[in-house]
Amino acid sequence: MPLRPTDAEHIRHLSFFRASTDATFDKAIAGGFLQKFPAGTTLLMEGDTVDFLYILLEGSVELGAGWKSKDTTLAILRPVSTFILAAVVLDADALMTAVTLERSEILMVPGESLRRAMKEDAEFCFAVSEELSGCYRGLVRSIKNHKLRDSTERLANYLLTQRARQGGKIEIVLPHEKRVLASLLGMTPENLSRAFLKLQAQGVTVDGARVRLEKVTALERLARPSPLIDNHFAQPRNELGKAHTERQKGLLDGKGSA
Amino acid sequence: MPLRPTDAEHIRHLSFFRASTDATFDKAIAGGFLQKFPAGTTLLMEGDTVDFLYILLEGSVELGAGWKSKDTTLAILRPVSTFILAAVVLDADALMTAVTLERSEILMVPGESLRRAMKEDAEFCFAVSEELSGCYRGLVRSIKNHKLRDSTERLANYLLTQRARQGGKIEIVLPHEKRVLASLLGMTPENLSRAFLKLQAQGVTVDGARVRLEKVTALERLARPSPLIDNHFAQPRNELGKAHTERQKGLLDGKGSA
DNA sequence: AGTGCGGCTTGACTTTTATCAAGCGTCGGC
DNA sequence: GCCGACGCTTGATAAAAGTCAAGCCGCACT
């Protein structure tokens, strides 16, 4: 369905649109539309031509990739997040598959509209560049996480990140199925179970999706979270699940507000 | 030293400057200078404040990162490559350490000049966005390479990529020390040696830095190179259309940025 | 209530990767 | 020339991660 004025007004202040003028905004979303998808819908397969920029407004989306009968999860997005922005800017094929994990509401903006708006409005184009840069840095963090830490350390840091995101309480709730989490962390579901067992020594107890962190300092001693890898302070706002406003100057400690 | 007019004229047509007008170019490189560094110079450490965009004109640079006494190589750059572009756009701290591997010539452009030029010239800003997008996609490829393939498969694909880059001859020359290559491929030097042994069955023989690929089809059967992960066709600029085809970034040697 | 499916866990086992410890060869300095 | 450093290789061993198989539990559906 085409975009209703009330939806447009809502979107007007999200993501990089905040930096745009009204005229540029209209140009950028020209031809865009809102769509709802049920859980499990494949929005885009890797290798597909990319015609739209996607902006997740409700629900959640998994970005993944496969090779030789293996599959892995690269990121899990929550609102408000853009995705496949880089492919849109380059008018190139998708490198990732996008699948809804829940019923989701997604704004689809024609790539051509976005590119035209970028080329005509430097302010807006710069805002998109900032978004791209944030996504890029999210990926750098992800690679460091995978190349420098083993699976138990990745889990420990994931738990601490969730703790920070969920308000620092003693108990957190895993936002996804464990099999999805395992894939995101680059391990098998079996090994995720075993990694949770190992973290019992650091005061981690699991009950379904509820995880209690009884000895945070012990967990931190093992996890050694780093502002150069983890991003506890990010809004869940952009492509690869990491920071949008990269505000880490002077942040050395794992505690902070949302 | 300040930039001489002859240097500026040379740089004028490199990277995203190609898309700029003369006025924007002057603005973008205002305050920039050329500098030569010996091998092994640390240009920037992770966590440092980033004041300049770096553009590698000669030599080679390793981008790496460390955690808990471990270190890894994220990319190896060859001319002409920009690096730490994302940090410059966001005016944020570096997430990677940059070290020269050989004597190198590097153009250093004040971040503030670049950002100002981007904000004033949409065409130029879009070209920078394309560069950022290419870097982003290089990292996506890199993560897929690491999460989906084991170390022998990564080596096999690295060899095939080098073969394509070096003209498809039966013999290739490894462009870096094996210990650097091992770090780039996410393995220890010991395991790199053993991985080469395993590939003898696929016709791979090693003599120092010279590697012969006698049975390419057998090697390809094992490596299963994919255009969604590997980027064999990167370097030569496309003559027809899309001058901004993404070039090899981030992943195995090539262009990159932070 | 019963049934079946899917997600999760656990155990035994295999494969992959890292670690530790030699040993070899090359290169540059003395 | 000799020495020592360093990069690379090889072997033995240990740790990490994946695979296969079985079983449990909760949940939806009949």
Side-chain angles (χ1 to χ4, degrees), chain A residues 21-58:
Chain A
T21 63
D22 288 340
T24 295
F25 175 72
D26 291 341
K27 213 167 285 175
I29 65 163
F33 51 94
L34 253 177
Q35 197 154 349
K36 291 190 210 292
F37 298 95
T41 308
T42 299
L43 303 168
L44 193 70
M45 297 253 299
E46 39 177 344
D48 282 359
T49 311
V50 172
D51 299 315
F52 297 96
L53 172 69
Y54 295 72
I55 305 181
L56 175 66
L57 300 177
E58 285 278 339

Side-chain angles (χ1 to χ4, degrees), chain A residues 181-194:
Chain A
L181 176 57
S183 178
L184 183 65
L185 293 176
M187 57 210 278
T188 58
E190 292 96 323
N191 267 333
L192 177 60
S193 271
R194 290 187 261 262

Side-chain angles (χ1 to χ4, degrees), chain A residues 40-47 50 52-56 59-66 70-78 80-87 94-102 104 106 131 135-136 138-139 142 146 176 179-186 237-242, chain B residues 136-137 140 143-144 147-148:
Chain A
T41 308
T42 299
L43 303 168
L44 193 70
M45 297 253 299
E46 39 177 344
V50 172
F52 297 96
L53 172 69
Y54 295 72
I55 305 181
L56 175 66
S60 65
V61 168
E62 175 192 36
L63 299 181
K70 264 194 270 272
D71 277 285
T72 193
T73 301
L74 298 173
I76 298 171
L77 309 180
R78 302 207 145 273
V80 178
S81 298
T82 61
F83 52 107
I84 53 161
L85 176 56
L95 293 181
M96 301 185 282
T97 295
V99 180
T100 55
L101 290 177
E102 322 164 20
S104 298
I106 295 175
E131 172 84 4
C135 295
Y136 178 87
L139 282 193
S142 180
H146 279 278
H176 325 287
R179 45 183 285 282
V180 175
L181 176 57
S183 178
L184 183 65
L185 293 176
R237 157 165 305 139
N238 69 16
E239 187 145 353
L240 284 184
K242 300 297 178 184
Chain B
Y136 176 86
R137 286 164 65 87
V140 171
I143 295 189
K144 289 167 70 172
K147 286 185 80 171
L148 293 169

Side-chain angles (χ1 to χ4, degrees), chain A residues 94-138:
Chain A
L95 293 181
M96 301 185 282
T97 295
V99 180
T100 55
L101 290 177
E102 322 164 20
R103 174 174 173 73
S104 298
E105 190 179 320
I106 295 175
L107 173 65
M108 296 174 69
V109 177
E112 191 50 40
S113 301
L114 185 87
R115 286 190 295 271
R116 190 169 319 128
M118 288 173 69
K119 285 175 184 161
E120 290 178 3
D121 182 337
E123 198 85 18
F124 176 67
C125 192
F126 189 81
V128 175
S129 296
E130 289 180 309
E131 172 84 4
L132 273 168
S133 298
C135 295
Y136 178 87
R137 287 165 64 89

Side-chain angles (χ1 to χ4, degrees), chain A residues 145-163:
Chain A
N145 192 37
H146 279 278
K147 287 185 79 171
L148 293 168
R149 311 214 259 228
D150 68 26
S151 62
T152 307
E153 291 166 336
R154 290 198 295 274
L155 174 59
N157 278 291
Y158 175 84
L159 294 176
L160 289 173
T161 300
Q162 284 301 318
R163 190 181 104 95

Side-chain angles (χ1 to χ4, degrees), chain A residues 153-238:
Chain A
E153 291 166 336
R154 290 198 295 274
L155 174 59
N157 278 291
Y158 175 84
L159 294 176
L160 289 173
T161 300
Q162 284 301 318
R163 190 181 104 95
R165 295 255 171 92
Q166 296 182 19
K169 302 191 60 181
I170 200 176
E171 180 173 306
I172 64 176
V173 177
L174 301 178
H176 325 287
E177 289 182 347
K178 291 207 183 82
R179 45 183 285 282
V180 175
L181 176 57
S183 178
L184 183 65
L185 293 176
M187 57 210 278
T188 58
E190 292 96 323
N191 267 333
L192 177 60
S193 271
R194 290 187 261 262
F196 271 120
L197 284 185
K198 282 190 206 168
L199 293 181
Q200 280 183 1
Q202 280 72 38
V204 175
T205 53
V206 185
D207 173 30
R210 303 204 328 256
V211 180
R212 289 181 72 84
L213 311 179
E214 312 263 10
K215 290 152 50 180
V216 173
T217 53
L219 189 57
E220 280 173 338
R221 191 162 49 246
L222 182 146
R224 291 270 187 107
S226 157
L228 297 174
I229 302 181
D230 312 290
N231 200 344
H232 292 189
F233 315 100
Q235 309 294 354
R237 157 165 305 139
N238 69 16

